Amino acid sequence: MSGTAAVSLAPAAYAPPAGLAAVRRGAFAVGAVAAALSLLGAWMDRGQFFRSYLVAFLYWLSIALGCSAIAMLHHLTRGGWGLMIRRVLEAASGTLPLVALFFVPLLFGLPELYRWARPDEVQADALLRHQAVYLNAPFFISRAALYFAIWCGFAWVLQRLSARQDATGDPALPRRMQMIAAPGLVLYCLTATFASIDWLMSLDSRWYSTIYGVYFVGGHAIAGLSFAVLVALYLSSRGPMSAAFRPIHFHDYGKLLLTFVVLWAYFAVSQLIIIWSGNLAEEITWYRGRLLGGWSGVSLALVTLHFALPFLLLLSREGKRNAGRLSVVAILLLVMRWVDLHWLALPALSPEGPAFHWLDAATAIALGGLWLSAFAGRLARRPLLPIRDPFLPEALAHD
Amino acid sequence: MEQTPGTGGPRAADPGRPPLIAPGYTSATVTDKISAVVLRGTPRWWFAAFGAAFLLVMLLLGTLGHLFLKGVGIYGVNIPVGWGWDITNFVWWIGIGHAGTLISAILLLLRQEWRNSINRFAEAMTLFAVACASLYPVVHLGRPWVLYWLFPYPSTMGVWPQFRSPLVWDVFAVSTYATISLLFWFIGLIPDLATLRDRAKSRFAQIVYGMLAMGWRGSARHWHNYESAYLMLAGLATPLVVSVHSVVSFDFAVGIIPGWHSTIFPPYFVAGAIYSGFAMVLTLAIPLRAIFGLKDFITDRHLQNMAKVMLATGLIVAYGYLIEIFMAWYGDNRFDVYMSLNRMFGPYAFQFWSLIACNVVAPQALWIKRLRRSPVFLFVIAIIVNVGMWLERYVIIVTSLHRDFLPSSWGMYSGTVWDYSTFVGSIGLFLALMFLFIRFLPMISIFEMRTILPEARVEEARK
């Protein structure tokens, strides 16, 4: 506990690095160019555009939502571990209104993506007629509006309380944030589950799995934490935060990431074992399309690069403490999240195998550039640590 | 050593974190208070309580004797309901065991110091619950004397177990779990056994505790090895918290019975296990701390934390119920739809709605802080959750089986008096073991409590 005295709590000590402004401008420029290219692609090949765009949207959503959920988990448990990355999580969850905006173009592509949005097919299919009470465009859109209202609402309220804490240091605030985070997490799990059914599972409306929402949420946790760790590593590589971060902080994040990776694999393998053993025609087809044929390579990549390799790398102490090695794992996981979303979404639309299209990259870069620019802008607005949180000295002196 | 229990900084004085131990204690008074329960004479009520539990053990043995003479026909199981109370009880007991491992291993790795006063008896509870649980599949075998066929020994008959069957995975999962839990519990006891050895007055107690303490002298080297071993075991035990009940859920989910074949089963069973386990810890902790005057160690904050864990896991369980019903509607599989409706409005509707009332509705009261603070209220809720989790397994097992795919093979199920006596007898076994434990071993970890004393902090800060 000897480090406590040496720690400074002045806001100026945690001013955002100057490089963030350049990141903001650069990301915006790249995003704008890619967005223009994507629009051109939409004009050339409408169907392909919406497929690519769906995955790109879900990808950046998963990072923003994952960060928001981890922030709520931090408020709920009042764990000291979250303080060092709280600003990163808050900046990312603050972008959720922008992500809601990203959702809007999808509304123009519902018939291209979903069978339930094509009236002639619904007429011809008894199951789709049954599901039409739930899977119809007006209800689909109102649900999406509700999901985003809840996600943005909780992020906004917690953000405001956090800003008030910076200003006043009111000791009652952590408790209030805890009280908001609890229902926030419950609602997040429910809305994310139904969002996963609406946006992903209904691509192939014959197939269903009760663990699907949990798997989706697990993916958010990995995406959010990998991104937050990567930003924390970037911040810790230059002043002023290089003095605040210690290897033990990253050791903790590495452990948490390891936990999330193992949980994700556990959800995935639970689903596989149950469906494989049951071997029912309506269920196993989902795996047949993914494990055999053109998508099998992607499945193998998920097992090795989304689970086995990160697992082994994160198991060792050095893998968690060494900035270089941890950033490799975080980048790998962020890439594999994108692959996993492809694997979830696209076999329903292109069953013969993965057909990489330049629009996949263009849409992902377009949304990513705009999103990162907004994120960097938000991160630069406030001190990089919640300087008046009562537990910050403890977190800084963590040994 | 990093992450040893109790190295979390000056937390006791922090705002928002009430102390984990009432003020005014020192190492010596903590040791006195906990070891006195074991070392002073046996209170009279203990004989009465243990005697009552022992009578129930006799009931269990009598029932099992009858079972071995007559066969499983004495139970209510039939075709189509081939699994009844026995499997319900097995899953119920094994679920209860999960809280002990979660508290001792996962909360240790998460550096949650409040676990220090409840881990010991939660671990004991785990062991006894696992003992009760493993009884059921064995006596249910029909030919329990060929139990060893479950193990993959090189059989001269050339018969191997079916490795694709989760029932075989169960054998490995439960026996591994029992072994690790026992080791974890015993290793955690060693320093305290040495304390009892040093403090015991009678020669006999000195010898017994001395042998069990395995030559512990408390040297720096001992502590160093001890801490490494303890952390390593915690790491090994952590996946077991998830794996055991996942395998139990596979017993159901890998089949294609509507109501069993659901991919949410593994995480939802694990959450249910932790839910019922924490309910049982509260059921035991609240009377124990009142009887032995241990409210300074198992504080209201401990009870509140456990209540919060119960609320969280209860919500996960409720999520499981919800998503199962939604997917039955969404997928429009006629058997799934029928099963869901039959559960809600069929002949077992009473059990189903009771389970919803116990597991989903009642625990929502835990959102209210004032109620979380009341030990009496928590005790009532914990009992309700224990009942609810038993009903959940009963409903899952019986309602899924009793209406087979063809109406010609439909049937009804109810337990017989032998089902009841086996269950009540196993509760007696659990309680008898628990009473022996609190009489002869320290029910709170003495040395881990010392690490969260304010004086331990001062010494640490000086270093």
Side-chain angles (χ1 to χ4, degrees):
Chain A
M1 297 299 108
S2 49
T4 317
V7 168
S8 161
L9 289 176
Y14 304 111
L20 273 182
V23 170
R24 187 166 60 86
R25 283 192 301 271
F28 186 81
V30 172
V33 171
L37 278 174
S38 305
L39 279 178
L40 185 70
W43 177 69
M44 283 159 55
D45 185 346
R46 208 177 139 85
Q48 179 61 48
F49 169 78
F50 282 116
R51 280 178 220 182
S52 306
Y53 190 85
L54 175 68
V55 174
F57 159 73
L58 288 171
Y59 182 69
W60 292 102
L61 171 84
S62 75
I63 293 177
L65 260 189
C67 284
S68 159
I70 294 168
M72 287 196 280
L73 190 69
H74 155 67
H75 288 308
L76 178 67
T77 58
R78 292 205 222 167
W81 54 269
L83 289 171
M84 303 298 293
I85 52 167
R86 193 208 273 178
R87 281 298 130 84
V88 179
L89 301 173
E90 283 173 345
S93 34
T95 62
L96 277 166
L98 177 70
V99 180
L101 212 61
F102 288 170
F103 178 72
V104 174
L106 281 176
L107 299 179
F108 300 98
L110 295 185
E112 273 85 355
L113 289 168
Y114 302 102
R115 281 184 62 225
W116 54 260
R118 295 174 219 148
D120 46 326
E121 294 205 33
V122 174
Q123 277 313 312
D125 187 320
L127 180 64
L128 285 176
R129 280 204 304 278
H130 168 81
Q131 289 169 334
V133 184
Y134 181 81
L135 295 178
N136 61 71
F139 194 25
F140 177 90
I141 296 167
S142 1
R143 278 197 307 272
L146 177 71
Y147 305 151
F148 275 110
I150 289 173
W151 299 336
C152 296
F154 277 99
W156 182 75
V157 170
L158 286 171
Q159 196 97 271
R160 247 176 51 120
L161 290 177
S162 180
R164 196 183 304 164
Q165 188 180 42
D166 275 9
T168 65
D170 181 357
L173 282 171
R175 167 99 189 120
R176 285 198 52 196
M177 292 195 261
Q178 187 180 30
M179 280 167 71
I180 289 163
L185 267 180
V186 173
L187 286 174
Y188 158 72
C189 289
L190 279 175
T191 47
T193 298
F194 285 95
S196 75
I197 296 170
D198 291 359
W199 301 340
L200 269 175
M201 208 169 88
S202 77
L203 286 167
D204 175 0
S205 65
R206 258 165 226 298
W207 184 81
Y208 56 93
S209 166
T210 43
I211 204 175
Y212 200 79
V214 180
Y215 179 88
F216 191 62
V217 167
H220 287 181
I222 296 180
L225 188 61
S226 300
F227 176 77
V229 166
L230 216 52
V231 176
L233 284 167
Y234 161 81
L235 293 175
S236 74
S237 69
R238 60 205 67 213
M241 291 291 279
S242 52
F245 273 114
R246 299 179 179 198
I248 182 81
H249 293 123
F250 290 106
H251 194 153
D252 283 352
Y253 299 137
K255 284 184 198 167
L256 205 54
L257 204 52
L258 176 65
T259 312
F260 288 161
V261 166
V262 173
L263 273 178
W264 172 88
Y266 165 69
F267 300 144
V269 85
S270 297
Q271 176 174 281
L272 175 63
I273 288 177
I274 290 168
I275 290 182
W276 173 80
S277 307
N279 204 20
L280 294 171
E282 65 264 33
E283 289 180 345
I284 200 74
T285 39
W286 195 84
Y287 275 112
R288 271 190 71 87
R290 284 167 175 80
L291 298 182
L292 311 172
W295 285 93
S296 61
V298 182
S299 305
L300 194 66
L302 282 175
V303 175
T304 49
L305 300 177
H306 199 315
F307 171 66
L309 188 62
F311 174 77
L312 290 174
L313 287 173
L314 287 172
L315 216 48
S316 80
R317 186 184 159 87
E318 212 31 38
K320 288 172 270 208
R321 287 178 169 249
N322 180 308
R325 286 177 66 174
L326 188 60
S327 57
V328 167
V329 176
I331 291 171
L332 176 69
L333 283 171
L334 281 174
V335 172
M336 290 317 290
R337 282 313 308 145
W338 193 61
V339 175
D340 186 30
L341 285 170
H342 271 274
W343 183 83
L344 285 175
L346 296 185
L349 301 168
S350 55
E352 50 303 324
F356 183 79
H357 194 275
W358 64 269
L359 267 173
D360 290 335
T363 49
I365 294 171
L367 295 188
L370 299 177
W371 187 85
L372 270 178
S373 160
F375 167 79
R378 297 196 74 89
L379 189 64
R381 270 191 224 163
R382 297 163 65 195
L384 290 170
L385 287 177
I387 32 167
R388 302 185 74 165
D389 191 282
F391 297 125
L392 186 65
E394 180 187 297
L396 282 169
H398 182 25
D399 53 3
Chain B
M1 279 316 292
E2 51 175 56
Q3 303 151 30
T4 51
T7 52
R11 284 193 180 170
D14 279 334
R17 286 197 188 127
L20 290 166
I21 185 165
Y25 278 98
T26 65
S27 284
T29 51
V30 164
T31 313
D32 283 342
K33 188 147 183 162
I34 301 174
S35 59
V37 175
V38 177
L39 293 176
R40 69 173 176 224
T42 314
R44 228 177 259 146
W45 67 264
W46 186 90
F47 286 106
F50 178 74
F54 189 72
L55 281 179
L56 294 180
V57 177
M58 291 298 108
L59 177 70
L60 176 69
L61 293 181
T63 307
L64 293 184
H66 183 65
L67 171 72
F68 293 152
L69 285 173
K70 294 279 182 182
V72 284
I74 65 166
Y75 288 145
V77 284
N78 57 39
I79 304 295
V81 187
W83 280 4
W85 275 60
D86 275 335
I87 305 299
T88 306
N89 297 339
F90 165 71
V91 181
W92 189 70
W93 277 122
I94 202 106
I96 284 170
H98 279 62
T101 328
L102 182 103
I103 291 169
S104 48
I106 294 187
L107 295 188
L108 175 76
L109 296 180
L110 292 176
R111 303 187 206 118
Q112 297 294 309
E113 292 169 0
W114 58 278
R115 72 177 268 292
N116 285 7
S117 65
I118 52 170
N119 68 338
R120 174 69 49 72
F121 76 84
E123 285 167 30
M125 181 200 80
T126 292
L127 279 179
F128 305 149
V130 171
C132 290
S134 43
L135 203 68
Y136 284 100
V138 175
V139 303
H140 193 253
L141 279 178
R143 287 188 288 163
W145 50 91
V146 293
L147 160 76
Y148 60 92
W149 286 7
L150 285 166
F151 294 96
Y153 71 102
S155 159
T156 49
M157 295 179 287
V159 179
W160 289 89
Q162 168 57 283
F163 285 109
R164 284 185 186 183
S165 164
L167 297 175
V168 173
W169 309 347
D170 253 351
V171 178
F172 298 108
V174 175
S175 54
T176 311
Y177 187 52
T179 313
I180 297 278
S181 304
L182 182 66
L183 274 176
F184 206 68
W185 182 66
F186 182 67
I187 289 184
L189 265 170
I190 288 177
D192 284 1
L193 288 167
T195 305
L196 290 179
R197 170 198 64 197
D198 299 342
R199 291 186 157 230
K201 296 280 183 292
S202 86
R203 185 81 192 124
F204 178 70
Q206 283 170 350
I207 290 173
V208 173
Y209 288 126
M211 278 162 70
L212 288 172
M214 301 179 88
W216 180 267
R217 290 184 313 283
S219 73
R221 199 185 173 79
H222 280 181
W223 278 112
H224 179 77
N225 290 339
Y226 176 86
E227 299 280 12
S228 318
Y230 203 64
L231 266 184
M232 207 120 76
L233 272 175
L236 283 173
T238 297
L240 289 174
V241 178
V242 176
S243 71
V244 177
H245 229 66
S246 297
V247 170
V248 170
S249 81
F250 286 148
D251 290 344
F252 303 100
V254 300
I256 54 166
I257 311 275
W260 287 5
H261 185 67
S262 180
T263 49
I264 191 76
F265 260 38
Y268 138 73
F269 262 53
V270 171
I274 295 165
Y275 187 37
S276 64
F278 271 82
M280 189 55 101
V281 175
L282 280 172
T283 312
L284 297 174
I286 292 171
L288 278 181
R289 67 173 209 151
I291 294 168
F292 291 106
L294 295 172
K295 285 184 187 167
D296 293 344
F297 298 161
I298 304 173
T299 63
D300 288 351
R301 183 178 161 205
H302 289 92
L303 302 186
Q304 282 203 52
N305 283 353
M306 288 191 270
K308 285 179 188 168
V309 175
M310 238 166 64
L311 179 59
T313 47
L315 287 166
I316 300 177
V317 169
Y319 174 96
Y321 303 152
L322 172 79
I323 211 74
E324 255 195 284
I325 293 171
F326 175 80
M327 285 298 175
W329 173 83
Y330 176 91
D332 201 25
N333 175 313
R334 62 188 296 192
F335 295 107
D336 282 340
V337 173
Y338 180 79
M339 191 283 307
S340 291
L341 291 175
N342 183 47
R343 256 183 206 172
M344 285 186 272
F345 309 110
Y348 294 99
F350 176 74
Q351 282 90 334
F352 176 80
W353 292 110
S354 312
L355 115 78
I356 295 293
C358 292
N359 276 0
V360 181
V361 180
Q364 300 313 316
L366 298 175
W367 284 97
I368 302 162
K369 186 165 187 171
R370 203 161 42 85
L371 296 177
R372 281 203 305 266
R373 276 189 173 155
S374 152
V376 178
F377 177 80
L378 279 184
F379 185 71
V380 173
I381 286 282
I383 299 275
I384 291 176
V385 170
N386 282 322
V387 173
M389 284 309 294
W390 190 90
L391 281 171
E392 180 203 289
R393 277 68 173 250
Y394 184 82
V395 166
I396 289 176
I397 290 167
V398 175
T399 61
S400 308
L401 287 175
H402 91 113
R403 294 273 158 98
D404 210 332
F405 289 97
L406 292 175
S408 59
S409 15
W410 286 4
M412 287 295 289
Y413 171 85
S414 59
T416 63
V417 67
W418 301 107
D419 283 305
Y420 311 152
S421 63
T422 316
F423 181 50
V424 174
S426 70
I427 293 178
L429 175 64
F430 177 78
L431 290 177
L433 290 168
M434 214 59 212
F435 283 127
L436 287 175
F437 160 71
I438 56 176
R439 178 65 197 84
F440 293 111
L441 291 169
M443 74 179 109
I444 295 178
S445 173
I446 301 172
F447 80 93
E448 281 173 308
M449 287 305 285
R450 289 190 209 129
T451 63
I452 54 173
L453 284 169
E455 64 180 39
R457 309 263 184 243
V458 176
E459 274 169 34
E460 215 171 85
R462 224 180 268 144
K463 271 189 262 177

